[in-house]
Amino acid sequence: MTAVPPDHFRVDRLKTPIGEALLVTDADGHLRMLDWSDFEARLERLLRRQYGAIKLVPGRAPADMRRAIDDYFAGDLAQLRTIAWRTAGTPFQRKVWKALCSIPAGKTLSYGALAVKLDMPRAMRAVGLANGANPISVVVPCHRVIGFDGSLTGYGGGLDRKRWLLTHEGAAFRDKPLSRALAA
C-alpha cells in the first residue's frame, strides 16, 4: 500500500542576510523546498513539476528548522545538517542531491569532481542539470559546486547569493573563469 500524497504544503517566510527565504514544509515538518521570495514563481513551477497540483498555504515552519537556518546565517555552519528534508525528483536527482550534502561547508567541488564522486565520470552535464534542479537551496548545498577552474558558475538564487554563501562558509573560489588561453 502506498501513502496518499499530500494535497498541500505550508510556506513560511524567513528574513536572512541575503533576502527573504521561502521555506516549504510538509505536515511531518520536513523541508520540501527552500527558495527566495524574488524567485517565488520558479518555486511554484518546481512544486507543480515535482508534486502536481499541490496547494501552498501560509504556515510556520518548525521552530527548530527556523532556528537552524538563523544559526547557519549567524555563523554556525553545521546547523544545516540538522534540518530534516525530503524531495521528489528522479532517483538520479536524489542521488546527486544526497551527494551535495557530503560537501563540507568551506569546501567546493566541480561538476566533474562530483560526477566522479558518484562513480559516473562522464555524467558531468547530467550532474549539472540535477544540481540546477535542486529544490532545497542552501540546505542541500548546490552553491558549493563551482567550475573546473574554481570559478563561480550559475546559481538559481543568483551569483551574488552564491558568492555571499561561499564567502560566509570560507570557501575558496574565483569570481571569473580563467581565460581559455590560460586554462590550456
Side-chain angles (χ1 to χ4, degrees), residues 16-180:
T16 77
I18 55 175
E20 184 180 58
L22 301 174
L23 310 177
V24 176
T25 56
D26 62 23
D28 295 327
H30 290 92
L31 184 63
R32 293 294 188 131
M33 291 194 161
L34 188 157
D35 210 334
W36 307 100
S37 61
D38 48 331
F39 292 104
E40 195 162 351
R42 177 184 61 203
L43 176 133
E44 291 171 0
R45 278 193 311 276
L46 276 173
L47 273 171
R48 279 192 307 277
R49 188 175 303 141
Q50 291 191 357
Y51 299 104
I54 196 155
K55 291 181 282 193
L56 276 181
V57 297
R60 197 119 168 114
D64 58 339
M65 180 185 298
R66 291 177 59 89
R67 188 171 29 262
I69 293 170
D70 283 339
D71 289 350
Y72 165 80
F73 281 107
D76 187 353
L77 305 180
Q79 285 302 306
L80 293 182
R81 294 185 175 274
T82 69
I83 297 172
W85 55 273
R86 286 186 188 152
T87 60
T90 67
F92 178 76
Q93 287 173 324
R94 290 192 309 269
K95 184 176 181 176
V96 170
W97 299 335
K98 185 176 178 186
L100 291 171
C101 291
S102 71
I103 307 170
K107 302 292 182 193
T108 59
L109 281 181
S110 68
Y111 294 99
L114 185 56
V116 168
K117 185 175 186 155
L118 291 167
D119 203 24
M120 298 182 212
R122 294 178 174 233
M124 288 184 304
R125 287 195 176 152
V127 165
L129 289 171
N131 189 60
N134 170 25
I136 304 179
S137 179
V138 183
V139 175
V140 176
C142 55
H143 61 276
R144 295 179 188 156
V145 181
I146 59 176
F148 75 94
D149 62 355
S151 64
L152 291 181
T153 55
Y155 181 64
L159 285 182
D160 287 340
R161 282 192 178 108
K162 183 171 187 163
R163 184 179 298 108
W164 191 97
L165 291 164
L166 291 175
T167 301
H168 177 64
E169 295 179 357
F173 64 91
R174 69 175 69 246
D175 253 332
K176 297 190 181 192
L178 291 173
S179 72
R180 290 277 183 210

